[in-house]
Amino acid sequence: EVQLVESGGGLVQPGGSLRLSCSASGFTFSSYVLHWVRQAPGKGLQYVSAISSSGDSTYYTDSVKGRFTVSRDNSKNTLYLQMSSLGPEDTALYYCVKGGTWTWHYFDYWGQGTLVTVSS
Amino acid sequence: QTVVTQEPSLTVSPGGTVTLTCASSTGAVTSGYYPNWFQQKPGQAPRSLIYSTSNKHSWTPARFSGSLLGDKAALTLSGVQPEDEADYYCLLYYGGARGVFGGGTKLTVL
């Protein structure tokens, strides 16, 4: 059974940093693209970032470029999202999503999300 | 700025058929935009329904189908069930990994 469990969310002050983790099981982690998607309270979905199976290719939406860094440790079956210079607009539930083996354009399993709140 | 537009809300009767659409500010949506569709019920994580325009996941009920309709991507629900009441989101790709979600459609089954 595929499982994705996000952690690391919490309350952080504006300008602060946070590292999210996504622990995966039930599939060959190192073979799949992984995505981060976020959802502000009461709002729609926003595509945040993606990383290739090997970790050598990454993507960021414009609003987080230069502030967020996605990485993965295939030996630990874990995906990360390092977030810095956080602002209130980054307040959201952050989901980790399993992708395809060779394409960016595929989503299947979603985690339950971890909540990030940016507030003073 | 690229905008993906969905109907904000739709209402359908149980057993009926409804089509949700997904339009791009850049022009006609084609298979090269790799349309994906997702369902989200209140308090739950989204669930993937359709990828690459019309391909279903193993868990996607047969009553859901994806297509291109005119210049838009479309999700059609045939024989709607009460449990289909949810928010539905489309996702389009604009080169490489640059994906943009639509604003979502709130589907009411009444």
Side-chain angles (χ1 to χ4, degrees):
Chain A
E1 179 194 4
V2 172
Q3 285 198 322
L4 298 164
V5 180
E6 302 92 338
S7 61
L11 176 64
V12 60
Q13 292 190 335
S17 299
L18 211 55
R19 187 177 84 157
L20 306 184
S21 300
C22 173
S23 178
S25 60
F27 64 100
T28 306
F29 184 81
S30 60
S31 296
Y32 291 89
V33 168
L34 294 163
H35 309 271
W36 286 102
V37 174
R38 68 184 180 184
Q39 186 169 34
K43 302 296 185 183
L45 302 176
Q46 183 184 23
Y47 193 34
V48 175
S49 181
I51 186 167
S52 63
S53 57
S54 64
D56 58 1
S57 293
T58 58
Y59 165 80
Y60 303 94
T61 194
D62 286 345
S63 61
V64 309
K65 259 180 215 174
R67 301 188 300 122
F68 288 13
T69 301
V70 62
S71 62
R72 63 193 295 164
D73 187 335
N74 285 345
S75 69
K76 295 182 178 179
N77 288 1
T78 303
L79 170 72
Y80 302 101
L81 186 67
Q82 178 69 48
M83 306 185 294
S84 61
S85 301
L86 287 163
E89 68 279 8
D90 298 312
T91 294
L93 189 57
Y94 284 74
Y95 294 103
C96 163
V97 192
K98 176 179 167 289
T101 52
W102 54 269
T103 174
W104 296 113
H105 313 129
Y106 176 90
F107 284 58
D108 51 25
Y109 295 92
W110 294 65
Q112 288 302 304
T114 186
L115 181 63
V116 173
T117 303
V118 184
S119 175
S120 53
Chain B
Q1 182 183 347
T2 303
V3 178
V4 177
T5 301
Q6 299 181 243
E7 297 86 359
S9 63
L10 290 170
T11 300
V12 61
S13 299
T17 296
V18 64
T19 296
L20 290 63
T21 66
C22 177
S24 172
S25 62
T26 60
V29 176
T30 66
S31 59
Y33 286 76
Y34 304 96
N36 279 253
W37 290 92
F38 307 92
Q39 177 192 63
Q40 187 178 34
K41 296 182 180 180
Q44 296 184 16
R47 181 173 74 142
S48 302
L49 292 175
I50 300 287
Y51 62 96
S52 293
T53 306
S54 58
N55 295 281
K56 299 179 188 181
H57 293 282
S58 59
W59 54 80
T60 304
R63 61 184 179 274
F64 290 82
S65 62
S67 66
L68 296 176
L69 200 61
D71 58 357
K72 300 177 184 180
L75 177 70
T76 299
L77 287 70
S78 305
V80 172
Q81 301 297 306
E83 61 265 29
D84 297 333
E85 185 163 290
D87 293 329
Y88 291 84
Y89 294 92
C90 67
L91 171 67
L92 300 179
Y93 278 91
Y94 294 84
R98 190 165 84 90
V100 179
F101 281 96
T105 296
K106 182 178 182 61
L107 182 67
T108 300
V109 180
L110 202 55

